[in-house]
Amino acid sequence: MQDLQEKAILVSVFLNEKDEKSLQELEELAKTAGAEVVGVLTQKRKNIDKTYYLGKGKIEELKNLIEQKGANIVIFNNELSGSQIKNIEDILNTKVIDRTNLILDIFAKHAKTKEGMLQVKLAQLKYSLTRLRGIGVTLSRLGGGIGTRGPGETQLETDIRHIKRSILHIEKQIEEIKQHRSLYRKRRQKNQIPVVAIIGYTNAGKSTLINALTNADAYVENKLFATLDPLARKLRLPNNKIVLLIDTVGFIKNLPHQLIEAFKSTLEEIKFADLILNVVDISQNDYEEKIKVTEKILSDLECFNKPVITVYNKSDLLEILPKNTDKEVYISAKYKTNLHDLVFCIQNALESGNKSL
């Protein structure tokens, strides 16, 4: 991020009612990236324009809005092609990024470990490679700020062969880390230590939960993707057995496929886990839709037939607290409400699966 906060206008085409909800999420993403949202422009259409995303008249309206608000970045709520970015910037003469680029930028900002930074860089390079022809001129005037972390500033100085070489080099490094993780995993299995993967939509409270259960010190902030790098902590169950809790990257609707691909080695921890805790922010009106997003990503990762406990977090905000079951537990990680019930559910689920407990 630059020292000077960027002023952003958000743009979205509404193909259906669900798209209106995703615009609210885009605003949260923009704020997480450090932008000040100064305007919003929307258009209802049957399909997205292949040349300008919006209709030509709306593009002119957007140009006027940029001047009125003094905006210096426009963020589109869908993934744009390289040619769309170039066409739009030729008219607006303003930096243009899409939802995917924005998420990649946030990941670049929050990655701290060597593996996390490598995975984000890999995703950025693959994203850039597909748009190289269309955004070559665009990148020459970006300079910095949102959407340019990582390889963005040097893309003009490289050619396609160099980017491909960089991708291969990073993939080799990630593969080496993956092999180390595989050895650790085999060691855990040999020592019969069960693994519980904590997953869920971004900002559902996964890090707060792992802190509450293990007295850990995972970073917590009320922002999307506040934590990115995996975190592993030991938890002692009531029967005195030890399990390993693994926190994973938060999910989000339309998580860029480049990120899913890049983070597969990390997300494999979910695939090899003995139990999954799906943390859900029950205070959100669209929590059921977010559960579906999480379930779809689990399906994409081929995490079939895994035992899952749905952990409804922030239940202190409910007027009536539902009864807990073996599959659903209502908690407040912040106030440590019902964590005792959750721990017993974890123990029972692992005992049912005969995981040496």
Side-chain angles (χ1 to χ4, degrees), residues 3 7 18 41 49 57 76 79 81 89 100 110 113 121 132 147 179-180 214-215 236 257 268 311 328 344 353:
D3 293 333
K7 295 184 177 181
K18 290 182 180 180
L41 187 86
D49 186 85
F76 286 75
E79 189 166 310
S81 67
E89 284 205 332
T100 297
H110 291 149
T113 65
K121 188 174 181 181
L132 195 60
Q179 294 302 324
H180 285 297
T214 66
N215 295 317
R236 187 176 295 275
H257 64 87
E268 270 187 353
V311 182
E328 296 182 338
F344 268 102

Short mmCIF file of all heavy atoms in Angstrom, two decimals, residues 3 7 18 41 49 57 76 79 81 89 100 110 113 121 132 147 179-180 214-215 236 257 268 311 328 344 353:
data_model
loop_
_atom_site.label_atom_id
_atom_site.label_comp_id
_atom_site.label_asym_id
_atom_site.label_seq_id
_atom_site.Cartn_x
_atom_site.Cartn_y
_atom_site.Cartn_z
N ASP A 3 1.55 5.23 1.05
CA ASP A 3 1.25 6.00 2.24
C ASP A 3 -0.07 6.75 2.07
O ASP A 3 -0.84 6.93 3.00
CB ASP A 3 2.38 6.98 2.53
CG ASP A 3 3.66 6.25 2.93
OD1 ASP A 3 3.56 5.13 3.46
OD2 ASP A 3 4.74 6.83 2.71
N LYS A 7 -8.42 6.17 -3.22
CA LYS A 7 -9.87 6.41 -3.23
C LYS A 7 -10.49 5.56 -4.33
O LYS A 7 -10.16 5.74 -5.50
CB LYS A 7 -10.16 7.89 -3.44
CG LYS A 7 -9.67 8.78 -2.30
CD LYS A 7 -10.07 10.22 -2.51
CE LYS A 7 -9.64 11.08 -1.33
NZ LYS A 7 -10.05 12.50 -1.51
N LYS A 18 -28.51 -12.08 -5.89
CA LYS A 18 -27.35 -12.49 -5.10
C LYS A 18 -26.15 -11.58 -5.35
O LYS A 18 -25.31 -11.40 -4.48
CB LYS A 18 -26.98 -13.94 -5.42
CG LYS A 18 -27.99 -14.95 -4.89
CD LYS A 18 -27.53 -16.37 -5.18
CE LYS A 18 -28.53 -17.39 -4.65
NZ LYS A 18 -28.10 -18.79 -4.93
N LEU A 41 -21.02 2.24 -8.39
CA LEU A 41 -21.80 2.30 -9.62
C LEU A 41 -22.26 0.88 -9.97
O LEU A 41 -21.46 -0.05 -9.99
CB LEU A 41 -20.96 2.84 -10.78
CG LEU A 41 -21.74 3.09 -12.07
CD1 LEU A 41 -22.39 4.47 -12.04
CD2 LEU A 41 -20.85 2.97 -13.29
N ASP A 49 -20.99 -7.19 -20.47
CA ASP A 49 -20.47 -6.76 -21.77
C ASP A 49 -19.04 -7.27 -21.94
O ASP A 49 -18.18 -7.05 -21.07
CB ASP A 49 -20.49 -5.23 -21.86
CG ASP A 49 -20.10 -4.73 -23.24
OD1 ASP A 49 -20.98 -4.66 -24.11
OD2 ASP A 49 -18.90 -4.44 -23.42
N GLY A 57 -22.74 3.55 -22.24
CA GLY A 57 -23.26 4.73 -21.54
C GLY A 57 -22.85 4.75 -20.08
O GLY A 57 -22.51 5.81 -19.53
N PHE A 76 -13.67 -3.63 -9.93
CA PHE A 76 -14.82 -4.32 -10.53
C PHE A 76 -15.12 -5.61 -9.77
O PHE A 76 -14.19 -6.31 -9.34
CB PHE A 76 -14.55 -4.61 -12.01
CG PHE A 76 -14.65 -3.39 -12.89
CD1 PHE A 76 -13.63 -2.44 -12.89
CD2 PHE A 76 -15.76 -3.19 -13.70
CE1 PHE A 76 -13.72 -1.31 -13.69
CE2 PHE A 76 -15.86 -2.06 -14.50
CZ PHE A 76 -14.84 -1.12 -14.50
N GLU A 79 -14.25 -10.98 -12.31
CA GLU A 79 -12.95 -11.13 -12.93
C GLU A 79 -13.01 -10.60 -14.36
O GLU A 79 -13.89 -10.97 -15.13
CB GLU A 79 -12.52 -12.60 -12.92
CG GLU A 79 -11.08 -12.79 -13.34
CD GLU A 79 -10.56 -14.18 -13.01
OE1 GLU A 79 -10.72 -14.62 -11.86
OE2 GLU A 79 -10.00 -14.83 -13.92
N SER A 81 -11.17 -9.80 -18.16
CA SER A 81 -10.13 -10.29 -19.08
C SER A 81 -9.10 -9.18 -19.28
O SER A 81 -9.36 -8.01 -18.99
CB SER A 81 -10.75 -10.69 -20.42
OG SER A 81 -11.25 -9.53 -21.08
N GLU A 89 -9.55 0.97 -19.19
CA GLU A 89 -8.55 1.97 -18.80
C GLU A 89 -8.30 2.99 -19.90
O GLU A 89 -7.99 4.15 -19.61
CB GLU A 89 -7.24 1.28 -18.40
CG GLU A 89 -7.31 0.64 -17.03
CD GLU A 89 -5.95 0.51 -16.39
OE1 GLU A 89 -4.95 0.42 -17.14
OE2 GLU A 89 -5.88 0.52 -15.15
N THR A 100 -10.63 -10.50 -8.39
CA THR A 100 -9.55 -11.47 -8.22
C THR A 100 -8.25 -10.79 -7.86
O THR A 100 -7.55 -11.19 -6.92
CB THR A 100 -9.37 -12.30 -9.51
OG1 THR A 100 -10.57 -13.04 -9.76
CG2 THR A 100 -8.20 -13.27 -9.38
N HIS A 110 -1.02 -10.12 3.60
CA HIS A 110 -1.11 -10.86 4.85
C HIS A 110 -0.23 -12.09 4.93
O HIS A 110 -0.12 -12.70 6.00
CB HIS A 110 -2.57 -11.26 5.11
CG HIS A 110 -3.45 -10.09 5.43
ND1 HIS A 110 -4.78 -10.03 5.10
CD2 HIS A 110 -3.16 -8.91 6.03
CE1 HIS A 110 -5.28 -8.88 5.50
NE2 HIS A 110 -4.33 -8.18 6.06
N THR A 113 4.68 -16.22 6.17
CA THR A 113 5.65 -17.30 6.08
C THR A 113 6.20 -17.40 4.67
O THR A 113 5.61 -16.89 3.71
CB THR A 113 5.00 -18.65 6.45
OG1 THR A 113 4.00 -18.97 5.48
CG2 THR A 113 4.39 -18.60 7.84
N LYS A 121 2.61 -15.41 -4.57
CA LYS A 121 3.35 -14.97 -5.75
C LYS A 121 3.04 -15.86 -6.95
O LYS A 121 2.89 -15.38 -8.08
CB LYS A 121 4.86 -14.97 -5.46
CG LYS A 121 5.68 -14.34 -6.58
CD LYS A 121 7.15 -14.23 -6.19
CE LYS A 121 7.95 -13.57 -7.32
NZ LYS A 121 9.39 -13.48 -6.98
N LEU A 132 -1.40 -10.96 -19.84
CA LEU A 132 -0.21 -10.22 -20.24
C LEU A 132 -0.43 -9.38 -21.49
O LEU A 132 -0.04 -8.23 -21.56
CB LEU A 132 0.95 -11.20 -20.46
CG LEU A 132 2.34 -10.56 -20.54
CD1 LEU A 132 2.66 -9.83 -19.24
CD2 LEU A 132 3.38 -11.64 -20.80
N GLY A 147 -3.35 -3.89 -5.75
CA GLY A 147 -3.31 -4.64 -6.99
C GLY A 147 -1.94 -4.74 -7.61
O GLY A 147 -1.79 -5.36 -8.66
N GLN A 179 6.70 -31.68 0.40
CA GLN A 179 7.32 -32.95 0.79
C GLN A 179 7.66 -32.95 2.28
O GLN A 179 7.48 -33.97 2.96
CB GLN A 179 8.59 -33.19 -0.04
CG GLN A 179 8.35 -33.41 -1.53
CD GLN A 179 7.43 -34.59 -1.80
OE1 GLN A 179 7.47 -35.60 -1.11
NE2 GLN A 179 6.58 -34.45 -2.82
N HIS A 180 8.16 -31.80 2.77
CA HIS A 180 8.44 -31.70 4.21
C HIS A 180 7.16 -31.86 5.02
O HIS A 180 7.15 -32.55 6.05
CB HIS A 180 9.09 -30.34 4.53
CG HIS A 180 10.52 -30.24 4.12
ND1 HIS A 180 11.50 -31.05 4.66
CD2 HIS A 180 11.16 -29.44 3.23
CE1 HIS A 180 12.67 -30.74 4.13
NE2 HIS A 180 12.50 -29.77 3.25
N THR A 214 -6.98 -23.11 22.94
CA THR A 214 -5.61 -23.52 23.24
C THR A 214 -4.77 -22.45 23.93
O THR A 214 -3.57 -22.67 24.15
CB THR A 214 -4.89 -23.94 21.95
OG1 THR A 214 -4.74 -22.78 21.11
CG2 THR A 214 -5.68 -25.00 21.19
N ASN A 215 -5.38 -21.32 24.24
CA ASN A 215 -4.62 -20.20 24.81
C ASN A 215 -3.47 -19.78 23.91
O ASN A 215 -2.38 -19.41 24.37
CB ASN A 215 -4.09 -20.56 26.21
CG ASN A 215 -5.20 -20.78 27.21
OD1 ASN A 215 -6.17 -20.03 27.25
ND2 ASN A 215 -5.07 -21.83 28.02
N ARG A 236 -5.58 -30.55 24.44
CA ARG A 236 -5.76 -31.73 25.28
C ARG A 236 -7.25 -31.94 25.55
O ARG A 236 -7.93 -31.02 26.03
CB ARG A 236 -5.00 -31.60 26.61
CG ARG A 236 -5.00 -32.88 27.45
CD ARG A 236 -4.17 -32.70 28.70
NE ARG A 236 -2.76 -32.49 28.40
CZ ARG A 236 -1.89 -33.47 28.18
NH1 ARG A 236 -2.29 -34.73 28.21
NH2 ARG A 236 -0.62 -33.18 27.92
N HIS A 257 -9.54 -19.14 -8.59
CA HIS A 257 -9.04 -20.50 -8.80
C HIS A 257 -7.52 -20.54 -8.73
O HIS A 257 -6.93 -21.56 -8.37
CB HIS A 257 -9.54 -21.05 -10.14
CG HIS A 257 -9.03 -20.31 -11.35
ND1 HIS A 257 -7.84 -20.61 -11.95
CD2 HIS A 257 -9.55 -19.26 -12.05
CE1 HIS A 257 -7.64 -19.80 -12.97
NE2 HIS A 257 -8.66 -18.97 -13.05
N GLU A 268 -4.30 -29.30 1.67
CA GLU A 268 -4.28 -30.75 1.80
C GLU A 268 -4.42 -31.18 3.25
O GLU A 268 -4.86 -32.29 3.53
CB GLU A 268 -2.97 -31.32 1.23
CG GLU A 268 -3.03 -31.66 -0.24
CD GLU A 268 -1.78 -32.37 -0.72
OE1 GLU A 268 -0.82 -32.48 0.08
OE2 GLU A 268 -1.76 -32.81 -1.86
N VAL A 311 -19.75 -25.38 13.65
CA VAL A 311 -19.59 -24.57 14.86
C VAL A 311 -20.16 -23.19 14.58
O VAL A 311 -19.57 -22.40 13.85
CB VAL A 311 -18.10 -24.48 15.26
CG1 VAL A 311 -17.95 -23.67 16.54
CG2 VAL A 311 -17.49 -25.86 15.41
N GLU A 328 -23.81 -30.10 15.54
CA GLU A 328 -23.94 -28.64 15.54
C GLU A 328 -23.76 -28.10 16.95
O GLU A 328 -24.45 -28.53 17.88
CB GLU A 328 -25.32 -28.22 14.99
CG GLU A 328 -25.54 -28.59 13.53
CD GLU A 328 -26.90 -28.10 13.03
OE1 GLU A 328 -27.79 -27.86 13.87
OE2 GLU A 328 -27.04 -27.94 11.81
N PHE A 344 -16.07 -31.71 23.94
CA PHE A 344 -16.62 -33.05 24.09
C PHE A 344 -17.13 -33.60 22.75
O PHE A 344 -17.00 -34.79 22.47
CB PHE A 344 -17.74 -33.07 25.14
CG PHE A 344 -17.25 -33.39 26.52
CD1 PHE A 344 -17.07 -32.39 27.45
CD2 PHE A 344 -16.93 -34.69 26.87
CE1 PHE A 344 -16.60 -32.67 28.72
CE2 PHE A 344 -16.46 -35.00 28.15
CZ PHE A 344 -16.30 -33.98 29.08
N GLY A 353 -14.76 -42.39 15.18
CA GLY A 353 -13.95 -42.74 14.02
C GLY A 353 -12.75 -43.61 14.37
O GLY A 353 -11.93 -43.91 13.52
#
